[in-house]
Amino acid sequence: MRFLVLGGTVFLSRAVAAAALAAGHAVTCVSRGVSGAPPDGAEVLVADRSRPGSLAAALDGRTADAVVDVATMSAPWVRDALDALDGRFGHWTFVSSINAYADPAVRGGTVDQPTLAPLHDEPGPERSRTDPDVYGAAKVGSEHAVRERAGDRAHVVRAGLLCGHGDRHDRYGYWASRFARGGRVVVPDAPAQPMQVVDVDDLAAWVVARAETGATGTHDGTGPRSTLDRVLAATAEAVGSDDLELVRVPGETLRSLDVAIWAGPRSLPLWLPETHWGIADRDVTATVAAGLETRPLAVTARATLAWERELGLDRGRAAGLTAAEERAVLTAHTGG
């Protein structure tokens, strides 16, 4: 098959390109050429999707048996891609997001759960592109465009928390790196909080397999239901140093010390308020039935740590606590 990956140089899109190559397909990656390189063996085309006409010029009448698009924030980009390949594609996968759902508190939800109102245009300057509702609405707008144009050839994957090699978001990676350094580690005391993660290579292999058979529909692309406690414990067991000690700190203490949830500076990644537990507690029965297979978390933890070491364990991070911030939390909680 001829696979066209819109991207192919970073994280999931690169993993999809690699999975398609490993399966023996011809792969073309289209990107700006500034974020990284596609896997060896892929054809490379350069296009800047923010420039009207750039993608159409790069594709220049090409055809594709399968297209995979991971466009993050722009329904217009998705429509432009569909226009650029009008009548010249077979199967179309669009990677959406769990953030598409309107109520993030709903636990055990399925793809039939209501979504946000679609954002069909670029977010204006008054709407932050980092706002999860804006991101989710843009994904919903993109989903609508794909279903309208690709119809019964469309597969929409609402991805959950992706982990593993190539991740630069510092959410799960923070924990793998921190546990490997050892010592006393601040973790949220949130035993009831749900959590779901999926290895990027597992999701990529599934996306390719679905495209190979022309399978369609809408699925949540995430792993088995678990808890934050179990995810952190399994990660610690897989990559933690011998002197690792997990120090559970109550949520009220963390909030009083201005420790943020989920991601970003001065945060404990993956920690969520109950109002958002639904994004990490999806019913993936249909996804498993559709063929998504996930590896043991320990394997993902070790792959994540290897990637973290490539990047540098002591680098500045987009999420987590610095050493000084963590010491301050420990002092406030335990007196030392």
Side-chain angles (χ1 to χ4, degrees):
M1 290 177 66
R2 297 183 304 277
F3 269 76
L4 176 65
V5 181
L6 301 180
T9 62
V10 176
F11 204 27
L12 178 59
S13 67
R14 193 180 195 280
V16 167
L21 287 165
H25 302 297
V27 177
T28 299
C29 298
V30 187
S31 72
R32 294 177 302 161
V34 299
S35 299
D40 291 342
E43 180 188 19
V44 180
L45 298 177
V46 177
D48 183 347
R49 296 175 74 176
S50 67
R51 293 172 47 215
S54 178
L55 185 60
L59 294 175
D60 191 26
R62 289 170 179 257
T63 62
D65 299 309
V67 179
V68 180
D69 189 7
V70 300
T72 56
M73 281 295 294
S74 176
W77 283 19
V78 174
R79 290 196 299 270
D80 286 349
L82 289 157
D83 287 342
L85 285 159
D86 186 28
R88 303 195 311 278
F89 66 86
H91 188 269
W92 193 290
T93 301
F94 177 68
V95 180
S96 185
S97 170
I98 295 296
N99 290 101
Y101 296 109
D103 187 350
V106 174
R107 301 184 63 179
T110 70
V111 295
D112 296 325
Q113 180 182 339
T115 61
L116 294 163
L119 177 61
H120 294 295
D121 301 313
E122 293 283 356
E126 74 283 357
R127 303 189 70 179
S128 171
R129 296 174 71 91
T130 61
D131 184 332
D133 284 348
V134 176
Y135 172 72
K139 285 289 195 181
V140 174
S142 299
E143 289 183 15
H144 284 202
V146 171
R147 292 193 190 95
E148 288 167 5
R149 298 291 300 277
D152 60 4
R153 295 170 291 164
H155 185 209
V156 172
V157 179
R158 291 175 180 153
L161 180 69
L162 296 171
C163 306
H165 188 273
D167 182 12
R168 294 181 179 271
H169 295 293
D170 288 337
R171 291 173 300 202
Y172 181 72
Y174 168 82
W175 293 111
S177 173
R178 181 64 191 87
F179 291 166
R181 293 204 311 274
R184 303 175 73 214
V185 179
V186 171
V187 298
D189 187 11
Q193 185 196 311
M195 182 49 55
Q196 284 173 298
V197 301
V198 63
D199 192 293
V200 64
D201 290 329
D202 291 337
L203 191 66
W206 180 64
V207 164
V208 170
R210 296 278 296 178
E212 288 172 335
T213 62
T216 59
T218 301
H219 294 91
D220 285 333
T222 192
R225 297 167 81 175
S226 186
T227 66
L228 181 58
D229 264 8
R230 291 202 293 269
V231 167
L232 295 183
T235 303
E237 182 176 358
V239 301
S241 68
D242 291 340
D243 68 340
L244 177 65
E245 178 188 353
L246 305 188
V247 180
R248 300 177 183 278
V249 181
E252 56 268 26
T253 301
L254 295 172
R255 287 186 288 271
S256 73
L257 297 170
D258 295 323
V259 176
I261 62 165
W262 188 245
R266 195 180 174 82
S267 69
L268 281 185
L270 311 188
W271 176 42
L272 284 170
E274 196 165 350
T275 55
H276 286 70
W277 281 6
I279 68 173
D281 193 25
R282 308 295 304 166
D283 179 351
V284 291
T285 303
T287 304
V288 173
L292 177 60
E293 298 180 354
T294 56
R295 65 197 65 195
L297 184 59
V299 178
T300 299
R302 289 190 286 269
T304 300
L305 181 57
W307 169 247
E308 287 285 321
R309 285 175 169 151
E310 286 185 41
L311 297 177
L313 297 182
D314 296 324
R315 72 186 189 278
R317 292 180 172 275
L321 298 176
T322 65
E325 289 166 348
E326 187 175 45
R327 284 194 299 271
V329 174
L330 287 167
T331 299
H333 179 56
T334 67

